[in-house]
Amino acid sequence: CLLLAPLAVGVAVAGYALTTVLIAVLVKRLLIGRYEPCVAPVWGGFYIRNWIVERMVRLVPWPLLGGGPLQQAALRALGARIGRRVHIHRGVDLLQGGWDLLDIGDDVTIGQDAAIRLVELDEGQIVVAPITIGDGATIDVRAGVGGGAEIGRGAYLTALSVVPDAGRIPAGGRRDGVPAAPAGTAP
């Protein structure tokens, strides 16, 4: 028993993780289908369906999947387009919904506690908007990217900076501050 207990626990945790991901994907497909950019009233039908999906997704043991290919596989199953060699640091919260509208290119780094806001509440409305992060881009520690934003190829958003809703960083550009302003070229 002592020799097999760690193996049994590992299999049980892996089984739980896989089951919760599959259930979350199923619930998302049944209640939402595919996310589209939209603005809907809070406490309306879409808001309630998104809330249910969000609660189901939060049952997934993300800390066990965080920062690796299993997390990316789960996000892809939910509809996100994620390129190769992408690093999504632990602490990045991508669990609010809108995954079908997330497009991350190859070789992207998203730093610890960065905010990728696909779904936001704004003046009594739930707003769902796409976010595109180009190949080789870096979103530094605790930086934020608003809905409808586009981060160009090789762009760099410095720590604690925010790209506002529908903001843009051109290819190779560097942005700093709140709201993010031009700060030269990407390192």
Side-chain angles (χ1 to χ4, degrees):
C1 284
L2 289 175
L3 293 175
L4 294 178
L7 180 63
V9 169
V11 168
V13 169
Y16 174 76
L18 180 61
T19 302
T20 55
V21 167
L22 292 174
I23 289 171
V25 168
L26 179 64
V27 169
K28 182 236 175 203
R29 288 189 181 166
L30 288 174
L31 295 180
I32 302 290
R34 189 168 163 71
Y35 280 96
E36 298 291 334
C38 71
V39 176
V42 171
W43 301 115
F46 175 78
Y47 177 86
I48 299 296
R49 292 191 319 271
N50 186 70
W51 182 84
I52 293 169
V53 169
E54 183 182 340
R55 294 295 158 235
M56 294 306 298
V57 167
R58 291 191 184 275
L59 293 176
V60 175
W62 292 103
L64 296 177
L65 306 179
L70 295 177
Q71 177 192 32
Q72 294 174 24
L75 291 170
R76 284 183 186 110
L78 289 166
R81 288 174 303 284
I82 301 174
R84 297 171 305 184
R85 298 174 306 277
V86 170
H87 176 72
I88 301 172
H89 199 285
R90 292 179 186 268
V92 176
D93 185 7
L94 291 170
L95 308 181
Q96 311 89 356
W99 304 282
D100 298 302
L101 302 175
L102 179 61
D103 191 358
I104 300 175
D106 296 335
D107 304 308
V108 170
T109 301
I110 301 176
Q112 183 177 2
D113 297 328
I116 308 298
R117 296 187 309 269
L118 294 159
V119 177
E120 292 186 283
L121 297 178
D122 184 32
E123 297 182 11
Q125 305 286 322
I126 183 171
V127 180
V128 182
I131 293 177
T132 302
I133 303 173
D135 295 344
T138 300
I139 311 296
D140 212 339
V141 176
R142 295 190 178 158
V145 179
E150 187 176 324
I151 310 300
R153 180 183 184 97
Y156 182 75
L157 180 62
T158 63
L160 303 171
S161 298
V162 176
V163 174
D165 294 347
R168 186 172 185 280
I169 301 177
R174 178 180 175 176
R175 296 293 186 267
D176 184 41
V178 180
T185 58

